[in-house]
Amino acid sequence: MWDLFLFILICKPTALASHLKKHCYTLAQPPLARWPQADPHFQIITNLMWPTKEGAELQGGVRFTWDNLLLKDGGIVALDWAVSLTDQQAQAKRDHHPGGRFLCHRSSNPAIVVIIPNTLGRVTPHLLRLCYQTLQQGFYPVVFHRRGHGGCPLTTHYQKFGNASDLVQAVAYLRSHHPTSTLLAVSEGSGSGLLPSYLGECGSSSYLTHTYAACISPVFHGQLWFEYELPWLYHWIARMYRNRITECQTRWPMLERTVPRLSMKPDWPTYWERNEPLRDANEVAVPVLCLCSQDDPLLPPLSTVPEALFHNSPYFLLAVTEQGGHCGFMQDGHGGTTSWSHSVVLEYFRMNEGLTGLERHEG
Ligand SMILES: *[C@@H]1O[C@H](CO)[C@@H](O)[C@H](O)[C@H]1NC(C)=O
């Protein structure tokens, strides 16, 4: 069924789905780019591997400020706020963009978009562009950096792949400091280890209820992905990177640190039972739009996508494109190359606000 297509939307026929089809214009226009941008490897190199300034206050035309958050067990995570655009013109446009204010009828504050990076914790050009575009459209983007990531000191241990307890505390902190702002969330690649975990764990008591979440190129099955053999070049680059950042991190730092000591064999079945991103998927009570590309070389093949979840749950929607690579979705457009995924996610965040609670939850 995956032969010869440009775009497929897999979901239960709910009011939300038909609203999405009708009003999210960008969704129905899958990314189209010419060579070399169309090449998935080219997209990975330019979007994920291209050097960025780690921990810099000013990156990708965006100015950041930091909030460090002390967790209950002594760990520290960072909330990295994108506060302004360095380009004066873009900033002026932002001040007049209706985007964030669409969501403001309940409050005087723009909606906050919590951005969850991939598990390597690297600030990628892809992530920076997402911050840029989110800010430009009038939202407040905030990047959630895990323990030991994004310049955040590691005072305890790395967190496990699907352990959402730090994110739970961070979202509670955001909620208490910005009680009137709508909270939205989006994850990049393996950052999906946290987002659906969080939404499943908190269910309807999450601070993200009455809101929307999106996953760009998500890892659905942690164990499968972990065991999946990456193309050798990526495997090699991931190793180089990890050797450079610390003496002992692996591609999955949070895995290694949680493996019991030498004499004990790691208990992988139990580990994955507690860390699979979709372990509590049926508790999720927030629409989650997932964007995947068929030519993604960093994820297991599309045949492993949990299609039944998208057919049965009123909350999970899956858009599959033919082109896009991993967290690329480059498209040729007015004024250069942009990311289709970013435009879709922001349009979806805005559009959903138009739905009433009833329509949203009606199956
Ligand atoms: C998740 O992490 C927290 C904080 O480190 C820890 O207390 C908790 O036991 C972990 N949960 C699981 C299921 O491993």
Side-chain angles (χ1 to χ4, degrees):
M1 83 174 276
W2 303 109
D3 301 340
L4 281 179
F5 71 101
L6 281 176
F7 171 78
I8 294 180
L9 185 67
I10 302 174
C11 57
K12 210 174 164 180
T14 58
L16 169 73
S18 54
H19 193 80
L20 187 73
K21 279 185 208 157
K22 214 154 84 199
H23 297 288
C24 195
Y25 304 107
T26 320
L27 188 65
Q29 292 161 17
L32 272 181
R34 278 188 297 270
W35 192 87
Q37 273 93 340
D39 184 79
H41 303 287
F42 179 92
Q43 299 204 27
I44 288 171
I45 291 166
T46 53
N47 283 290
L48 301 181
M49 293 180 172
W50 210 251
T52 53
K53 290 180 256 167
E54 294 284 320
E57 188 189 300
L58 187 65
Q59 295 191 80
V62 183
R63 206 177 294 282
F64 288 93
T65 63
W66 295 62
D67 267 352
N68 276 350
L69 182 63
L70 183 64
L71 304 165
K72 283 182 204 143
D73 69 350
I76 296 176
V77 294
L79 293 170
D80 208 354
W81 293 89
V83 284
S84 62
L85 302 169
T86 49
D87 177 349
Q88 300 284 326
Q89 267 181 342
Q91 181 63 31
K93 251 196 228 160
R94 166 187 202 257
D95 295 338
H96 295 99
H97 199 289
R101 263 172 286 136
F102 260 89
L103 305 174
C104 291
H105 60 257
R106 287 199 222 118
S107 72
S108 53
N109 299 316
I112 294 171
V113 177
V114 183
I115 300 179
I116 302 170
N118 63 59
T119 49
L120 267 183
R122 185 169 180 268
V123 175
T124 60
H126 172 262
L127 195 82
L128 289 176
R129 260 210 324 278
L130 181 56
C131 291
Y132 188 99
Q133 210 167 321
T134 306
L135 193 57
Q136 196 183 31
Q137 296 200 12
F139 299 92
Y140 277 145
V142 59
V143 181
F144 170 78
H145 288 294
R146 298 170 180 77
R147 304 168 181 224
H149 287 179
C152 205
L154 186 67
T155 51
T156 49
H157 49 82
Y158 286 106
Q159 194 50 284
K160 293 172 190 165
F161 182 76
N163 186 321
S165 83
D166 298 355
L167 184 60
V168 169
Q169 291 176 63
V171 172
Y173 168 87
L174 288 172
R175 176 43 75 224
S176 73
H177 283 72
H178 306 274
T180 56
S181 296
T182 303
L183 296 181
L184 304 150
V186 52
S187 68
E188 173 196 49
S190 48
S192 68
L194 279 187
L195 189 50
S197 291
Y198 168 85
L199 296 172
E201 222 164 82
C202 295
S204 50
S205 61
S206 150
Y207 287 113
L208 294 184
T209 44
H210 310 300
T211 178
Y212 309 94
C215 299
I216 302 174
S217 303
V219 167
F220 291 114
H221 303 290
Q223 183 172 9
L224 185 74
W225 179 69
F226 181 58
E227 289 165 0
Y228 177 66
E229 193 137 333
L230 284 180
W232 70 268
L233 182 63
Y234 296 113
H235 187 81
W236 180 76
I237 291 170
R239 263 208 357 226
M240 294 277 292
Y241 179 70
R242 105 190 164 208
N243 290 344
R244 193 168 62 79
I245 43 176
T246 83
E247 58 313 329
C248 56
Q249 272 188 13
T250 66
R251 173 178 160 212
W252 296 276
M254 63 301 302
L255 285 180
E256 184 159 275
R257 290 310 182 99
T258 53
V259 173
R261 305 242 161 238
L262 291 172
S263 56
M264 281 158 63
K265 244 183 119 219
D267 182 3
W268 290 117
T270 311
Y271 182 92
W272 286 115
E273 221 168 85
R274 293 187 185 147
N275 286 282
E276 278 296 351
L278 297 177
R279 63 191 180 281
D280 295 319
N282 47 16
E283 301 295 326
V284 172
V286 165
V288 184
L289 177 65
C290 300
L291 307 176
C292 297
S293 172
Q294 188 199 24
D295 66 358
D296 188 331
L298 299 189
L299 295 182
L302 271 187
S303 54
T304 62
V305 164
E307 239 186 275
L309 174 68
F310 295 94
H311 286 300
N312 299 329
S313 165
Y315 293 110
F316 282 88
L317 304 111
L318 172 66
V320 183
T321 64
E322 202 172 2
Q323 247 185 41
H326 186 77
C327 297
F329 298 99
M330 305 304 287
Q331 61 181 1
D332 296 328
H334 12 272
T337 316
T338 56
S339 273
W340 171 81
S341 49
H342 297 356
S343 306
V344 168
V345 167
L346 295 173
E347 199 173 312
Y348 156 77
F349 282 167
R350 281 202 308 272
M351 162 215 107
N352 274 321
E353 193 65 6
L355 279 174
T356 65
L358 194 80
E359 284 173 309
R360 203 180 294 148
H361 297 118
E362 175 254 317

